[in-house]
Amino acid sequence: MQSTSIPRMLGSTPTPLANAQSPASTRFSLLCSTALRLGEWSARVDTGNTTVVVDDAQAMAPCVNFVTGNANKLREVKAILEPAIEVRSNPLDLDEVQGSIEEVTQSKCRRAADLVNGPVLVEDTSLCFNALSGLPGPYIKWFLSGIGHQGLNNLLAAYTDKSAEAVCTFGYSAGPGHEPILFQGRCSGKIVPPRGPSHFGWDPIFEYEGQTYAEMDGAQKNGISHRARALKKLQEWFRDHAEGPAAAPQ
Amino acid sequence: MQSTSIPRMLGSTPTPLANAQSPASTRFSLLCSTALRLGEWSARVDTGNTTVVVDDAQAMAPCVNFVTGNANKLREVKAILEPAIEVRSNPLDLDEVQGSIEEVTQSKCRRAADLVNGPVLVEDTSLCFNALSGLPGPYIKWFLSGIGHQGLNNLLAAYTDKSAEAVCTFGYSAGPGHEPILFQGRCSGKIVPPRGPSHFGWDPIFEYEGQTYAEMDGAQKNGISHRARALKKLQEWFRDHAEGPAAAPQ
């Protein structure tokens, strides 16, 4: 299911991007349509036809439009990125394509950038059963809504291998025409009969080191989860690429 | 998995379209960019800016671009529609969206019409396991390539209900901006360990009345298959809506 054609994929190493791209193209593009409040930063801002150098502590914070209708995800992303990066939510309803995890996120990110006409952040969550070659993977939401927790367990009835990977992939694009950059976090666990509160997706059937996600408190889960790991990479990249005057990548 | 918001869905009755749409919007739009050879037909042709009434036995046959890279499917469609409708193949590589069977086909049809800038026909095949609420459904190709025939059988290991439906959905659009019209054929059977030649998809594991698709000869399969049933509806609709002067639907 994995695409090998993703040139800017963030894998298991924290910040491979710096070596994978030219300096000019790796810089965080501050494409907000409003002015910037940069604190200690200064930055070059591509506003479409004009490039403006912002070097003013009174400017607005750089911002990104996080395309989600999910309040929990928005809260998690805000907690990690703000106040350095202002996170605005945009509940655009975007189709998702079929394909590898990376293709799904890349496609969503490109379409979001086109529609928002500015910098966007999108997220995709997959649940990959190892006995099923990584499936349901990016189709997990259809399987969860169609067959529920017990049905997901049943998919593995023929196998002793109940192992699975939870995968979170963020995609960031500086705007239309800018290639998405992916930030992926993975957490290895196994599929079990549901335990714990069932208010959040497949959390009750994904067990990591003896506890299901649903049985963990927020701090525990955020210490090890696929989403926390992806957000850490995202945070590091934003920190590394939003410093100093930045050329808008193209 | 079924969408209820598909206004022009052809269900189990052969030709509900005639009642579901206004006469003007149901007519087959002869939008080929070349002239028409209509045989005994005459038709109004929308060529973009101009509407031309064609009433000439020497005109070119109406044509449609069938978006497929699959030679077997092209042959089947040509056998049914030609010579009345000229079927041109166009191996456009289109992303498929996630969603219901109908949403997947509608989306593909709209994008194909935009890219071809003319009349298009697209096709989607799903395999729906009843015990899994219709899944894998439109994702069957990923499951077939990921876990194979035995893996597909294994998905049902926890269930005594091995029943499944093979579903073929054609989508036709007269061109950009024209709402796709769907033609769907279904065949009820069950999932079994593979029997028969394995050169065509999941044919060896789909059994209909004691034989797998793979064990049937071409004529047998074409007498009952989901694709043959969909093509019959498509053929009837093209026949009914390509007769007499036709207004290009919009």
Side-chain angles (χ1 to χ4, degrees), chain A residues 1 15 25 62 78 115 119 135 143 150 155 158 191 194 197 205-206 211 214 222 235 243 247 250:
Chain A
M1 292 288 292
T15 52
S25 66
K78 276 179 167 284
L115 289 170
L135 293 163
F143 279 77
Q150 187 55 52
L155 292 183
I191 302 303
I205 64 161
F206 185 76
Q211 276 189 302
N222 288 336
Q235 183 186 33
E243 288 169 352
Q250 179 65 65

XYZ file of all heavy atoms in Angstrom, chain A residues 1 15 25 62 78 115 119 135 143 150 155 158 191 194 197 205-206 211 214 222 235 243 247 250:
188
model
N 0.823 -1.215 0.000
C 0.000 0.000 0.000
C 0.856 1.265 0.000
O 0.388 2.337 -0.294
C -0.892 0.032 1.241
C -1.972 -1.018 1.252
S -3.269 -0.624 0.065
C -3.984 0.833 0.838
N 13.890 14.936 10.935
C 13.887 16.079 10.029
C 14.701 15.828 8.762
O 15.674 16.525 8.501
C 14.430 17.340 10.731
O 15.698 17.003 11.305
C 13.509 17.851 11.800
N 13.377 25.849 -1.222
C 12.080 25.195 -1.341
C 11.616 24.590 -0.035
O 10.481 24.127 0.058
C 12.133 24.119 -2.422
O 13.003 23.094 -2.025
N 2.211 33.832 11.724
C 1.954 33.026 10.536
C 0.802 32.083 10.828
O 0.617 31.649 11.967
C 3.265 32.272 10.339
C 3.961 32.320 11.651
C 3.517 33.589 12.306
N -3.854 22.587 17.591
C -3.657 23.922 18.179
C -2.698 23.843 19.370
O -1.815 24.685 19.534
C -5.002 24.502 18.638
C -5.796 25.203 17.536
C -7.115 25.718 18.099
C -7.805 26.690 17.170
N -7.217 28.024 17.149
N -8.610 25.111 -3.070
C -9.892 25.680 -2.642
C -9.706 26.836 -1.669
O -10.414 27.840 -1.741
C -10.772 24.593 -2.004
C -11.329 23.555 -2.993
C -11.974 22.394 -2.256
C -12.356 24.212 -3.919
N -2.198 28.563 2.502
C -1.519 27.456 3.179
C -2.523 26.565 3.922
O -3.396 27.078 4.631
C -0.578 28.159 4.159
C -1.213 29.470 4.424
C -1.957 29.858 3.180
N -4.364 -3.449 5.033
C -5.776 -3.054 4.919
C -6.482 -3.266 6.264
O -6.004 -4.052 7.057
C -6.449 -3.886 3.818
C -5.920 -3.570 2.410
C -6.292 -4.672 1.430
C -6.477 -2.226 1.929
N -15.047 0.927 7.109
C -15.185 -0.356 7.796
C -15.702 -0.151 9.223
O -16.543 -0.910 9.705
C -13.841 -1.115 7.793
C -13.608 -1.836 6.493
C -13.193 -1.138 5.361
C -13.834 -3.199 6.373
C -13.007 -1.782 4.146
C -13.652 -3.853 5.164
C -13.239 -3.139 4.043
N -16.708 -5.130 16.587
C -16.667 -6.589 16.508
C -16.365 -7.038 15.084
O -15.613 -7.994 14.855
C -18.003 -7.174 16.989
C -17.998 -8.691 17.107
C -16.867 -9.192 18.009
O -16.716 -8.739 19.142
N -16.033 -10.110 17.501
N -12.592 -9.558 11.031
C -11.786 -9.598 9.793
C -10.521 -10.431 9.995
O -9.948 -10.943 9.032
C -11.378 -8.182 9.361
C -12.466 -7.229 8.878
C -11.843 -5.914 8.433
C -13.262 -7.846 7.726
N -9.435 -15.476 10.865
C -8.663 -16.570 10.261
C -7.179 -16.506 10.595
O -6.416 -17.387 10.200
C -8.844 -16.553 8.743
N -5.052 -5.629 17.437
C -6.508 -5.505 17.424
C -7.084 -6.460 18.464
O -6.774 -7.662 18.465
C -7.068 -5.824 16.020
C -6.443 -4.890 14.975
C -8.597 -5.720 16.013
C -6.637 -3.406 15.235
N -13.273 -4.916 22.035
C -13.311 -3.550 22.578
C -13.231 -3.479 24.110
O -13.894 -4.243 24.808
C -14.656 -3.007 22.070
C -15.447 -4.195 21.631
C -14.477 -5.241 21.241
N -14.000 3.278 27.111
C -15.070 4.118 26.535
C -15.038 4.082 25.009
O -13.966 4.031 24.413
C -14.721 5.520 27.054
C -13.837 5.308 28.235
C -13.101 4.035 27.994
N -10.467 -0.777 20.334
C -9.963 -2.077 19.843
C -8.484 -2.032 19.476
O -7.932 -3.018 19.015
C -10.781 -2.596 18.626
C -10.645 -1.650 17.417
C -12.244 -2.805 19.000
C -11.023 -2.304 16.097
N -7.842 -0.884 19.672
C -6.407 -0.809 19.367
C -5.617 -0.805 20.665
O -5.681 0.148 21.444
C -6.087 0.450 18.541
C -4.653 0.513 18.099
C -4.209 -0.276 17.053
C -3.738 1.345 18.740
C -2.876 -0.243 16.636
C -2.405 1.386 18.340
C -1.975 0.594 17.283
N -2.738 -1.783 27.031
C -3.913 -0.911 27.196
C -4.448 -0.513 25.830
O -3.659 -0.228 24.914
C -3.512 0.372 27.933
C -3.478 0.273 29.446
C -3.283 1.651 30.058
O -2.290 2.314 29.761
N -4.223 2.080 30.891
N -8.498 3.595 24.180
C -9.662 4.082 24.928
C -9.454 3.998 26.426
O -10.060 4.753 27.201
C -10.908 3.303 24.514
N -1.422 10.750 24.317
C -0.664 11.749 23.561
C 0.845 11.565 23.676
O 1.607 12.159 22.918
C -1.060 13.165 24.001
C -2.441 13.532 23.507
O -2.913 12.959 22.519
N -3.102 14.453 24.194
N 5.641 19.829 14.125
C 6.094 20.943 14.981
C 7.566 21.257 14.736
O 7.958 22.419 14.585
C 5.884 20.546 16.443
C 6.230 21.618 17.452
C 6.130 21.068 18.868
O 6.397 19.888 19.113
N 5.729 21.927 19.790
N 11.918 30.039 10.632
C 12.838 31.005 11.219
C 13.528 31.833 10.142
O 13.891 31.326 9.093
C 13.891 30.283 12.052
C 13.297 29.731 13.338
C 14.266 28.781 14.025
O 15.299 28.439 13.434
O 13.958 28.380 15.153
N 11.921 32.291 1.818
C 11.394 32.404 0.459
C 10.212 31.459 0.324
O 10.253 30.338 0.825
C 12.466 32.036 -0.546
N 8.258 27.117 -4.312
C 7.398 26.890 -5.496
C 7.927 25.679 -6.234
O 9.095 25.580 -6.455
C 7.403 28.107 -6.428
C 6.564 27.908 -7.665
C 5.095 27.768 -7.342
O 4.480 28.693 -6.857
N 4.530 26.589 -7.586
